[in-house]
Amino acid sequence: MTQIVDETFQASVTERLAVIEERLVTEAVADSSFVTEAATHIINAGGKRFRPLLVILGSAFGNDVDEQALTKAALVVELTHVASLYHDDVMDDADIRRGVVSANRRWDNSIAVMVGDFLFARASSTVASLGTDYVKLQADTFARLVQGQIAETRGPQAGDDPLEHYLQVVSDKTGSLIATAAVFGGMVSGADSSVLQALHDFGEEIGTVFQLSDDIIDITSTVTGKTPGTDLREGVLTLPTLMLRRSTDPADDQLKALVASDLSGDEALAKALEGLRAHPVIGQARAEVQRRADRARGFLAPLPEGPAKDALLAVCDDLVTRSA
């Protein structure tokens, strides 16, 4: 979690996250022990809990916080996120999630899809208790998640710019829910519309930063919760590889051909990773992440000074510099 300088505020955030963590497991309990085991599989594997953190930080920009509503809002966004991971792992035919065997591997694709559906249902039940404004925002967010997944599955169509297509997918699949997390935070404390807009704009941009930094880490790091080079091996085009594709330098043709080839073998994958790590495209991708993080910082300008704003600014820095 982002380090917060103000110790009192840090203690408050930590306490709230602990409550949310406990409730996450409770919300995933089903009528049968098997469904409970499968539904808590990814939750128990841990995670950054980035979205609940944004709910908490966003709540600092309003008035008095409704603690029950805050917990419920955080549960909604994290349950939605976890549910989407079950579906993503099926779509991606993944082997590992957060350092453990993915649900689709431990059981099968059908079970993983239905467990994801179960968690989406739990999120829907929870958001219904918050009111229609929350339900509408959650429904609109869910629609974007699905549309982003469909667009990713179809890929860019004739006439589409592949990089722009990818960035829109990232915005829909990642930015939308992170923005909703920040806005939910403002809503549970009765923040005014200008604050909610600032939190939304920040969340959309920092959500893209979050995913684009993951793209780089997939290539440069060997200590992630996924197998290194997972996206490369699966032929998933990400920011660095899409930037490489745009290169018109003939010296890049060999690396482009390698990245586009069959990387199912360990030797071929290692060679592609080595080539990308040494290529200027990684620096270019990092520069794009930095640019977007700076833009996210700009959206925070209207918000009042204080430990919550300091923490959000620190999030921008952490996402640029993180290595796992």
Side-chain angles (χ1 to χ4, degrees):
M1 190 181 79
T2 294
Q3 187 63 40
I4 299 171
V5 175
D6 187 299
E7 293 183 1
T8 302
F9 187 65
Q10 172 75 72
S12 173
V13 170
T14 301
E15 182 179 348
R16 285 167 163 170
L17 283 172
V19 171
I20 293 162
E21 191 70 28
E22 183 178 349
R23 285 285 304 278
L24 268 174
V25 177
T26 303
E27 290 296 315
V29 171
D31 294 337
S32 77
S33 59
F34 173 77
V35 176
T36 299
E37 179 188 6
T40 57
H41 178 67
I42 290 180
I43 292 172
N44 288 335
K48 300 178 182 68
R49 306 300 186 233
F50 183 57
R51 292 154 189 82
L53 173 63
L54 288 186
V55 175
I56 295 169
L57 296 180
S59 73
F61 299 103
N63 303 306
D64 293 336
V65 177
D66 183 331
E67 291 293 338
Q68 285 193 341
L70 184 150
T71 300
K72 288 180 179 180
L75 290 171
V76 169
V77 293
E78 191 65 10
L79 286 169
T80 301
H81 172 57
V82 173
S84 73
L85 297 181
Y86 281 86
H87 287 184
D88 279 353
D89 285 347
V90 171
M91 299 288 292
D92 298 340
D93 195 28
D95 296 317
I96 297 174
R97 169 66 67 178
R98 293 179 175 173
V100 300
V101 176
S102 60
N104 52 299
R105 282 287 176 267
R106 180 167 176 178
W107 293 286
D108 60 37
N109 283 346
S110 295
I111 294 295
V113 168
M114 289 186 287
V115 169
D117 291 345
F118 170 76
L119 292 173
F120 279 130
R122 282 287 195 251
S124 297
S125 178
T126 302
V127 78
S129 67
L130 290 171
T132 54
D133 288 345
Y134 292 85
V135 171
K136 184 179 188 309
L137 179 53
Q138 170 70 1
D140 290 344
T141 303
F142 188 44
R144 285 187 62 191
L145 291 174
V146 174
Q147 290 178 90
Q149 183 61 67
I150 292 171
E152 181 179 65
T153 301
R154 292 188 72 215
Q157 302 299 294
D160 291 343
D161 179 275
L163 181 55
E164 292 304 316
H165 174 272
Y166 174 69
L167 292 173
Q168 185 60 53
V169 167
V170 169
S171 179
D172 288 337
K173 285 190 61 179
T174 305
S176 64
L177 187 58
I178 288 175
T180 293
V183 172
F184 271 179
M187 290 171 68
V188 301
S189 61
D192 65 39
S193 59
S194 63
V195 169
L196 296 181
Q197 186 64 54
L199 289 171
H200 171 271
D201 293 344
F202 169 80
E204 283 275 353
E205 196 66 44
I206 209 64
T208 298
V209 171
F210 190 91
Q211 180 57 54
L212 297 185
S213 65
D214 266 0
D215 290 353
I216 298 170
I217 288 168
D218 182 67
I219 293 170
T220 61
S221 176
T222 58
V223 292
T224 63
K226 298 191 302 181
T227 304
T230 297
D231 291 333
L232 268 181
R233 172 165 273 164
E234 295 171 355
V236 176
L237 296 175
T238 60
L239 181 63
T241 51
L242 284 165
M243 284 182 159
L244 178 65
R245 275 194 167 193
R246 278 189 165 188
S247 170
T248 57
D249 187 344
D252 291 334
D253 288 350
Q254 186 174 358
L255 181 58
K256 285 196 283 187
L258 175 61
V259 169
S261 68
D262 179 5
L263 299 177
S264 57
D266 291 343
E267 185 177 345
L269 179 63
K271 188 175 180 181
L273 284 170
E274 181 183 7
L276 283 167
R277 288 168 181 167
H279 194 277
V281 76
I282 297 299
Q284 295 163 15
R286 284 181 170 141
E288 175 63 10
V289 169
Q290 180 69 66
R291 184 187 72 80
R292 287 178 173 272
D294 290 342
R295 188 165 184 259
R297 292 172 68 93
F299 289 128
L300 296 174
L303 300 182
E305 301 299 321
K309 183 174 181 178
D310 291 342
L312 290 176
L313 290 169
V315 164
C316 298
D317 296 333
D318 290 346
L319 290 181
V320 170
T321 60
R322 73 191 182 105
S323 59

